[in-house]
Amino acid sequence: MGRTKHGNRDVHFYNIRGTDKMVQAGDCVLMRAAESNTPPYVARVVKMEADGSNNLIVRVRWYYRPEESVGGRLEFHGANELFLSDHYDTQSANTIEAKCTVHTFEDYTKLEDATAEDYYCRFQYRAASGLVLQNTVALYCKCEMPYNPDALMIQCEECEDWFHPACINRTIEQVKQLDRFVCSEHTLKKPLDTAVANREARPKRQKK
């Protein structure tokens, strides 16, 4: 272990208390919140150090849940969506409860079974200003909203756009029963019997 400029010792691995899980810099973790009714916070471990009394300290970069941001949770935010913030902090390693995985949005949508420890991030967040930095994100449907992987959508294979059931005046059950779908714009241009089979985007189901 090397010495830091504060006299602390660099620590490369930490065994989460009561488990056989090892944490190192770069890992994402769940950290116990001070309030008992608050879900654990999500953070990326940047560095770990031990002070002179051998207390382990972790420097972390926080992820924010949409509801923890200034703008709050919006309709297109998935249940396991996080924002990577510019908020850094130091915490006791004893507050680490478990490891988790923060996927890219693309990788998350390819998971067959997302667990409670699988998150995804597609936006960055400026904690001081409350600004959400949105890179180029595809917009879908008549409502022109980003894709929510937890919400069912149906694809028109003429234009290949995806639509929410409510935006095409149908219920979720009605959409599930459709054998084929062409959006209203293309129904006017092409007979329905030439439309190809319907595809559905089903929400990820979490393991209990």
Side-chain angles (χ1 to χ4, degrees):
M1 298 181 184
R3 290 280 179 179
T4 70
K5 62 181 180 180
H6 303 294
N8 293 345
R9 293 176 290 116
D10 288 329
V11 176
H12 301 295
F13 296 96
Y14 168 68
N15 195 108
I16 300 175
R17 181 177 293 181
T19 75
D20 59 354
K21 302 294 184 181
M22 301 293 295
V23 174
Q24 60 183 325
D27 287 341
C28 294
V29 295
L30 301 176
M31 305 191 78
R32 184 172 60 254
E35 303 82 6
S36 59
N37 60 343
T38 301
Y41 298 124
V42 185
R44 179 185 296 172
V45 176
V46 177
K47 189 175 183 180
M48 297 185 291
E49 297 178 350
D51 63 18
S53 300
N54 214 32
N55 297 311
L56 191 59
I57 302 166
V58 291
R59 178 166 173 76
V60 298
R61 184 177 182 180
W62 293 115
Y63 285 95
Y64 278 55
R65 293 181 173 87
E67 60 269 26
E68 297 166 345
S69 70
V70 172
R73 179 172 289 278
L74 302 178
E75 185 177 353
F76 63 85
H77 292 141
N80 284 6
E81 182 154 10
L82 301 172
F83 303 153
L84 179 61
S85 81
D86 59 352
H87 180 188
Y88 290 81
D89 201 0
T90 55
Q91 296 285 318
S92 167
N94 291 333
T95 61
I96 297 177
E97 294 184 337
K99 294 177 68 173
C100 63
T101 304
V102 180
H103 303 269
T104 65
F105 180 71
E106 181 180 2
D107 287 346
Y108 182 85
T109 58
K110 294 177 181 177
L111 294 177
E112 293 186 3
D113 293 296
T115 71
E117 286 74 42
D118 284 304
Y119 297 87
Y120 68 89
C121 176
R122 55 180 163 176
F123 303 124
Q124 293 196 38
Y125 182 66
R126 297 288 180 258
S129 64
L131 179 65
V132 177
L133 302 181
Q134 301 187 21
N135 297 324
T136 302
V137 176
L139 303 179
Y140 298 93
C141 193
K142 297 177 180 180
C143 61
E144 296 188 340
M145 299 289 281
Y147 177 51
N148 180 345
D150 300 326
L152 180 143
M153 299 181 77
I154 187 170
Q155 187 182 42
C156 167
E157 291 197 6
E158 290 296 318
C159 63
E160 297 187 346
D161 197 359
W162 292 86
F163 295 86
H164 302 106
C167 293
I168 56 173
N169 298 316
R170 288 179 170 87
T171 66
I172 291 176
E173 289 305 316
Q174 288 173 331
V175 165
K176 288 181 177 179
Q177 293 172 9
L178 290 176
D179 292 325
R180 56 187 65 196
F181 173 71
V182 176
C183 71
S184 58
E185 179 180 348
H186 290 86
T187 299
L188 297 175
K189 296 178 181 179
K190 193 171 184 178
L192 183 61
D193 59 3
T194 63
V196 293
N198 161 60
R199 293 179 184 170
E200 292 181 2
R202 295 185 173 84
K204 303 288 187 299
R205 294 186 179 273
Q206 293 186 358
K207 294 179 179 178
K208 296 182 179 180

